[in-house]
Amino acid sequence: VQALQNGAVDYVVKPFTVDVLLEKLRKFALPHLPADSQGPVAQSPAMLAMLEMAKKVASTDATVLLMGESGVGKEVLARYIHQQSRRQAGPFIAVNCAAIPETLLEATLFGHEKGAFTGAAQSSAGKFEQAQGGTLLLDEVTEMPVQLQAKLLRVLQERELERVGGKQTISLDIRLIATSNRDLRQAVAEGVLREDLYYRLQVFPIQIPPLRERQADILPLSEHLLRRHCQQMGLSVKGLSMAAKQQLYFY
């Protein structure tokens, strides 16, 4: 209390996870960075309209589905939605479903109790629990095994879960954002994605257009990345030359 009265902006309670600490640091460090480093860089009408949609849904707890090609900035937009929401003080936990082995994904997401499987020497909270009070991003959700999708569906319906090997029901208070670079209807038709999960995820879908369809964002994005990398490497910030701008725009 004395620290807060003397100017501290926030605190964390032990024991805390690294994810919680990093989210606190991001929250209070970002306002001191240049304004253009926050959130998606956008000047094209398509992106500005999409950001307006994102800002509106951020004020609710609706599940958001972000779709678009790899590299369009789905996680950037997910973080923007989190920062614009009432959960901004809570953690933002991102899980890449394609990067975690199938045998570990269930325990990673839902947690496990001690002795639930070989090597489970102690109980551990999963990503859903770590996201309590905040936002959980399931990146490339269509890469999740079909048998695990049934458990995810129940969690989304009931807003509660049981850890692997556990019997206690844990209530959840989270906002879920999912992403995919695939055509979800086709994924359903191919049996890759459960149809009932598809409808549960697609509460508020947002399609992010690729950069080639929003050329007005090319130069602002290039300038932004140049400034960011110059700052990270301790170099004086330089702008793009006219020749470089023309090369980027007419590439």
Side-chain angles (χ1 to χ4, degrees):
V1 171
Q2 186 177 5
L4 291 172
Q5 291 174 342
N6 288 338
V9 293
D10 204 351
Y11 64 93
V12 290
V13 179
K14 293 183 178 180
F16 55 83
T17 65
V18 174
D19 289 329
V20 170
L21 178 60
L22 288 175
E23 194 55 37
K24 293 279 189 180
L25 290 172
R26 288 191 192 99
K27 177 189 173 187
F28 292 105
L30 280 174
H32 302 290
L33 295 174
D36 63 1
S37 68
Q38 302 178 48
V41 176
Q43 284 191 12
S44 65
M47 282 298 288
L48 291 175
M50 190 199 66
L51 288 181
E52 192 61 33
M53 288 174 56
K55 192 176 293 187
K56 288 180 180 179
V57 74
S59 64
T60 74
D61 269 342
T63 298
V64 179
L65 178 63
L66 304 178
M67 297 170 290
E69 299 175 9
S70 296
V72 296
K74 295 187 286 292
E75 183 169 343
V76 173
L77 184 59
R79 289 185 180 277
Y80 176 78
I81 291 172
H82 173 72
Q83 292 162 3
Q84 297 295 316
S85 74
R86 64 179 180 84
R87 297 178 177 274
Q88 60 180 282
F92 178 91
I93 307 296
V95 183
N96 188 334
C97 298
I100 301 174
E102 182 176 336
T103 53
L104 297 177
L105 187 56
E106 182 177 14
T108 299
L109 288 175
F110 306 109
H112 65 267
E113 296 294 351
K114 181 179 180 180
F117 50 83
T118 303
Q122 60 184 14
S123 299
S124 177
K127 298 299 183 182
F128 273 95
E129 287 180 73
Q130 293 174 28
Q132 288 280 33
T135 302
L136 176 65
L137 171 64
L138 292 182
D139 198 14
E140 303 305 341
V141 68
T142 47
E143 304 306 311
M144 181 180 294
V146 175
Q147 60 270 25
L148 196 54
Q149 293 178 21
K151 188 167 184 177
L152 173 60
L153 178 66
R154 177 167 177 79
V155 170
L156 293 179
Q157 289 174 335
E158 307 298 333
R159 295 289 164 170
E160 59 185 27
L161 60 77
E162 292 180 3
R163 292 179 180 177
V164 177
K167 297 181 179 179
Q168 180 183 358
T169 299
I170 300 171
S171 297
L172 297 173
D173 174 26
I174 65 169
R175 142 62 87 43
L176 183 75
I177 300 177
T179 77
S180 179
N181 60 7
R182 302 184 56 162
D183 182 325
L184 266 64
R185 290 189 179 276
Q186 184 178 348
V188 171
E190 294 174 352
V192 175
L193 181 69
R194 290 175 58 113
E195 186 174 15
D196 46 7
L197 180 58
Y198 165 74
Y199 288 112
R200 187 58 72 167
L201 291 174
Q202 189 156 285
V203 176
F204 197 97
I206 298 179
Q207 182 75 39
I208 306 176
L211 192 57
R212 64 179 177 274
E213 295 179 5
R214 44 186 176 97
Q215 291 190 349
D217 292 330
I218 293 176
L219 295 183
L221 186 58
S222 301
E223 294 275 11
H224 165 78
L225 293 174
L226 179 63
R227 284 193 297 271
R228 189 177 73 180
H229 289 300
C230 284
Q231 290 170 352
Q232 289 175 347
M233 300 183 71
L235 302 174
S236 58
V237 180
K238 298 179 180 179
L240 292 167
S241 67
M242 183 57 66
K245 290 180 180 180
Q246 291 175 343
Q247 187 72 14
L248 284 167
Y249 193 77
F250 294 106
Y251 180 72

